Amino acid sequence: MASEGLTRRRGGAGASPAIGSASPALSDAPSFPSSSAGPRRPGGSANAPTSSAGGSGGAGAIEGRGKIAYDPRDFENGGETETMPRLTIMEEVLLLGLKDKAGYLSFWNDNISYALRGCILIELALRRRIAMVRDPSRRRLALADRLIEVIDDRQTGETILDEALKMMKSSEKYGTGAWVDLMSGETWNVMKIGYQLKQVRERLAKGLVDKGILRTEKRNFLLFDMATHPIADMNAKDDVMRRTLTLLTARTAAIPPQALQKESVKYRHMRAVVLVCAAYASSVLENALQRLSYDSREAAFARCDDILAEFSTWPFGITTSSTAGPISVGGGTRKSQGTSGGVGRESVQELVREVRKEMAESTTGQAGAGGGQEEQEELCFEVVATVLEIFGRMDSLVSHHLLQNKYP
C-alpha cells in the first residue's frame, strides 16, 4: 500500500502512471537537487539548504546526516494545495455510500459509477484545469454539447484526476456529456472504449486508505473473496455527513458555517452545492438523511431538488436576484417550482448569492493577471453547471420526481 501512495504522488510529468507500472520515484538511483540549479520553493530561495556536512540537502534534511531527495513537482502546486480540501468531491461521495463496518457500497447502486465520472470533471473545473471552449457560437448548443478543453495540464497530485486530464489533453475536443459517457464506458463505438476510466471506485478507496481514512480487509462472499474498505477514521465521514445534513436542514436563510469547508478552502459554497447534488445523483444522499423523520427527510430532498434546479442552469440561479427578497426558486431545467418552500427557499436563494460572490471574488483576483482571465474563470463554472444539468437528467432522479408528482 505504501508503493501505491508513492505511485499516486509521483506520476510522470503531465500524466498519471498506470496502476502497477514502474514509477521513476521508486527507482534504485535517487536524484538529489543541485545547489546551483535547485528548483525555487514557495517562500524560499532558489538554492536548496546546505547541511553542516557540506553540499546541498533536500527539504527536511537533518544536520550531520545524508541528503534527502525530493521531487520538484511536489512544490509546483504549493499555493494551490493550501486552498484545496483534504478530500476530493469523488472521495466524499464515496464515503457517503460506503457501509461503515462492512466497507463496501450497496450492490444495488447503479448510479454512483456514472456520477463519479461527472464529479471528476467538476473537480478539474474547480481546480481550473478544464473549461468550456471560448466560442460565442457555443450558446446555440445545449449545455451538454458544448466543447470543453484543457487550459492547464499541471498535475493535481490525484491519480484519477491526472489520468483524466492527460486523456483530455491528448484527445480531440468533446462536449461534457460525451466525456462523462466515454469515461463511464457508455459508448457503442469500440474505437473509443479506451477512454473508459476503469475501477474508479476501487482506486478512490485505495486513495482514501493512503490518506488514513479507510483500511483494507478481505471479506468472504460465499464463492469468492473481495477486498473491502471499512472506515478507519470516522471523523472524516462524520464531517462529510454533517456538512451535507446541515446544508439541507438549516432553519435559517443564512448558510451555517457547519455546512461548509474551512474558510481557507476555495469555492467552499460551490463545493457544498456540488457535494449534495452529486450525492443525490449517486443515490447515496439517503445515507446522510436516514436518521431524520420522514417529513424532515422529504423536506431535505425537496431542498436538494431546488439547489440542483438553480445550479443546473447557466448562469447560476437565473431566477434569483442579487439582493435578498422573496424571489421564486426553481427556474432550472427540471421544472422544480420551489418545492422546499419557506426557509428552505430562502436558503437556496442565499446559496446562489454566496456562490456568485465567490465567482466575483475569484474573477476579480484573476483580472489583474491578464486579459481574458475573468472570462476563463466563468468558463470553468460553466462546466460545473453542465455536469449538474446532466445529473438532473439521470434516470434515478427523473423517477424520483415522477413519484413525487404522483404521490405528493
Side-chain angles (χ1 to χ4, degrees), residues 14-183:
S16 174
I19 291 181
S21 63
S23 173
L26 303 181
S27 63
D28 296 330
S31 59
F32 297 94
S34 169
S35 60
S36 60
R40 183 175 296 276
R41 304 180 193 175
S45 63
N47 297 331
T50 304
S51 66
S52 61
S56 61
I62 302 177
E63 185 175 356
R65 298 190 181 184
K67 304 172 185 177
I68 306 299
Y70 70 93
D71 192 328
R73 286 167 293 183
D74 286 343
F75 302 98
E76 288 181 358
N77 301 324
E80 180 186 67
T81 303
E82 297 174 358
T83 61
M84 290 296 111
R86 180 188 181 192
L87 303 181
T88 64
I89 298 166
M90 303 89 71
E91 290 171 334
E92 291 183 338
V93 171
L94 185 73
L95 272 181
L96 286 178
L98 278 177
K99 301 178 185 294
D100 296 350
K101 296 181 180 180
Y104 58 87
L105 297 164
S106 170
F107 293 121
W108 308 108
N109 192 338
D110 297 329
N111 304 308
I112 190 169
S113 293
Y114 190 85
L116 285 175
R117 269 69 172 189
C119 291
I120 291 174
L121 296 182
I122 291 178
E123 189 71 50
L124 287 173
L126 292 179
R127 292 171 185 247
R128 300 196 76 251
R129 297 302 196 274
I130 62 174
M132 289 288 182
V133 173
R134 188 179 301 174
D135 180 7
S137 63
R138 76 181 186 280
R139 296 183 177 87
R140 295 179 296 181
L141 301 174
L143 280 176
D145 295 330
R146 299 177 186 179
L147 301 181
I148 57 179
E149 62 180 350
V150 175
I151 59 173
D152 185 351
D153 60 359
R154 288 179 304 154
Q155 286 191 317
T156 65
E158 300 289 343
T159 304
I160 293 179
L161 293 181
D162 292 336
E163 182 179 335
L165 193 63
K166 176 190 174 183
M167 181 171 60
M168 298 175 73
K169 178 69 175 179
S170 60
S171 168
E172 61 182 292
K173 294 181 177 63
Y174 292 106
T176 309
W179 271 120
V180 177
D181 287 342
L182 289 173
M183 290 192 295

Side-chain angles (χ1 to χ4, degrees), residues 143 307-319 330-334 381-382 384-386 388-389:
L143 280 176
I307 293 174
L308 185 55
E310 289 299 300
F311 287 92
S312 61
T313 60
W314 184 253
F316 291 137
I318 56 177
T319 62
T333 56
R334 290 170 39 257
F381 280 99
E382 190 172 339
V384 177
T386 304
L388 295 182
E389 195 265 344

